[in-house]
Amino acid sequence: MRIQRVFMMALMALLLALPCVAGAEIVGRTAEGYIHRYTADNGQEIYFVSLEEDAMVRYDDVNFDGHPDLAVTVALGASNARYEFYLWNGSEYAYAERWTGDIFNYALVDGKYLVSHRNDGRAGLLFCTEICVWEDNVLKTRRTMVSEEETDIQWEGRVMTQTTNLDRLHVILRETDGLAGAANVLWEKTYAPPSDDPGFFEEVNARLWEGLRD
């Protein structure tokens, strides 16, 4: 499918554009995964847990302050890589607190946005994208867009019936209120699946960034 080819080409381009990576060594194991130790460029030993035996550490200025930070791979799948971050604070790397969902396949946009994009299947038609910003070195969600198969829930007494329509997609965009922390719906739309129509991605991407980019 053309959409699948476009998605894979974009993902490969992103991976090739990212800074070089280095491996970490396994020093133990927990129920959550392997305990890794990585010696950073300043000699500091960073310990983290990853599902992967071959966990990778990437130097990247993820908070846009002009100094490279550490992006650690904590899980890696066929379409999704999940990350945690350690920020350079002038003397050492410190774990980055975040008020977001898990960070997948991140991209740095416009020198101020960190974008997480999780591919949930159907050649990229199903996804979750978060636009995140840094506030006092805490990563926070600004907007979230989710595309999923349309689901209808009906209750009869204490019996719940859930119906999923595989021929229709529901896309919803929410924006987080920084003061109240509530997620307000900005836009939503239901589509018949645009199986080979790139116009779908053009529209949802335009809606995702509407009002955020000049």
Side-chain angles (χ1 to χ4, degrees):
M1 296 174 65
R2 185 170 61 182
I3 288 176
Q4 186 175 28
R5 291 197 301 271
V6 170
F7 174 80
M8 292 307 299
M9 290 174 61
L11 180 59
M12 289 302 297
L14 174 63
L15 293 176
L16 289 173
L18 288 172
C20 61
V21 294
E25 62 176 321
I26 296 175
V27 296
R29 190 169 184 178
T30 72
E32 288 74 35
Y34 299 94
I35 302 172
H36 291 266
R37 177 177 60 207
Y38 175 74
T39 303
D41 54 358
N42 66 335
Q44 179 184 353
E45 291 186 340
I46 304 292
Y47 291 85
F48 63 92
V49 176
S50 174
L51 294 175
E52 308 304 319
E53 292 188 61
D54 298 322
M56 305 303 290
V57 180
R58 186 187 312 280
Y59 286 87
D60 206 359
D61 181 13
V62 296
N63 66 344
F64 313 106
D65 67 352
H67 300 281
D69 308 296
L70 299 181
V72 174
T73 305
V74 295
L76 184 63
S79 299
N80 299 308
R82 181 160 60 89
Y83 293 89
E84 294 288 355
F85 303 116
Y86 291 80
L87 303 181
W88 178 252
N89 63 14
S91 59
E92 63 179 5
Y93 294 98
Y95 177 75
E97 183 182 354
R98 57 181 175 82
W99 300 357
T100 68
D102 289 333
I103 301 298
F104 292 91
N105 308 322
Y106 77 89
L108 306 176
V109 179
D110 294 346
K112 58 181 177 180
Y113 300 115
L114 189 149
V115 182
S116 168
H117 180 80
R118 187 184 71 231
N119 176 13
D120 291 334
R122 298 280 293 275
L125 291 174
L126 307 178
F127 62 83
C128 177
T129 299
E130 282 188 71
I131 298 176
C132 309
V133 294
W134 294 95
E135 295 182 11
D136 298 324
N137 284 332
V138 177
L139 189 62
K140 298 182 180 181
T141 299
R142 177 73 180 273
R143 285 185 179 177
T144 304
M145 175 178 278
V146 176
S147 173
E148 57 191 0
E149 289 155 341
E150 185 180 62
T151 300
D152 179 66
I153 296 177
Q154 299 291 333
W155 285 92
E156 293 186 9
R158 296 175 59 85
V159 178
M160 183 191 77
T161 302
Q162 178 173 304
T163 303
T164 300
N165 189 336
L166 301 181
D167 293 326
R168 294 170 65 85
L169 295 181
H170 181 247
V171 183
I172 187 166
L173 174 65
R174 295 182 173 91
E175 184 167 68
T176 302
D177 185 330
L179 296 177
N184 304 310
V185 175
L186 290 183
W187 172 81
E188 61 182 317
K189 184 175 179 179
T190 300
Y191 297 84
S195 301
D196 202 30
D197 180 7
F200 167 81
F201 291 105
E202 292 173 2
E203 179 172 19
V204 298
N205 187 65
R207 291 289 186 172
L208 175 67
W209 289 101
E210 190 173 27
L212 293 183
R213 308 182 74 178
D214 297 332

